[in-house]
């Protein structure tokens, strides 16, 4: 199990938080998703090799929140 912190500058409110948390959690290999609106960070706990950082970034992109690794 691995945890990564990603930053998405477009996170601005609780709606963004819900969109990302709902959009990521439940996907295969993703154990936990926590979005902090104030710091615009997304903390994801996941299991490799089911998911990797690149896949997480691409999912965030699809949700409308381009991100980078913190
Ligand atoms: Cu928002």
């Amino acid at each position: 199990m691995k945890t990564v912190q990603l930053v998405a500058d477009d996170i601005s409110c609780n709606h963004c938080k819900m969109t990302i948390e709902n959009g990521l959690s439940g996907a295969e290999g993703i154990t936990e998703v926590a979005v902090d609106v104030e710091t615009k960070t997304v903390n994801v706990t996941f299991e490799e090799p089911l998911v990797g950082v690149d896949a997480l970034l691409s999912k965030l992109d699809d949700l409308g929140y381009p991100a980078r690794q913190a």
Side-chain angles (χ1 to χ4, degrees):
M1 210 116 84
K2 195 171 170 178
T3 300
V4 71
Q5 186 170 68
L6 308 172
V7 183
D9 292 326
D10 293 337
I11 296 173
S12 60
C13 69
N14 273 323
H15 179 255
C16 303
K17 178 181 163 82
M18 294 305 292
T19 301
I20 293 171
E21 288 180 351
N22 292 338
L24 291 187
S25 56
E28 193 186 20
I30 297 181
T31 311
E32 202 181 325
V33 184
V35 173
D36 187 312
V37 174
E38 223 160 276
T39 57
K40 302 181 188 296
T41 53
V42 184
N43 287 287
V44 187
T45 304
F46 59 100
E47 283 178 62
E48 284 181 314
L50 291 176
V51 184
V53 173
D54 285 348
L56 294 173
L57 292 174
S58 140
K59 281 177 190 294
L60 280 167
D61 219 31
D62 290 346
L63 290 170
Y65 296 94
R68 63 187 183 278
Q69 206 163 348

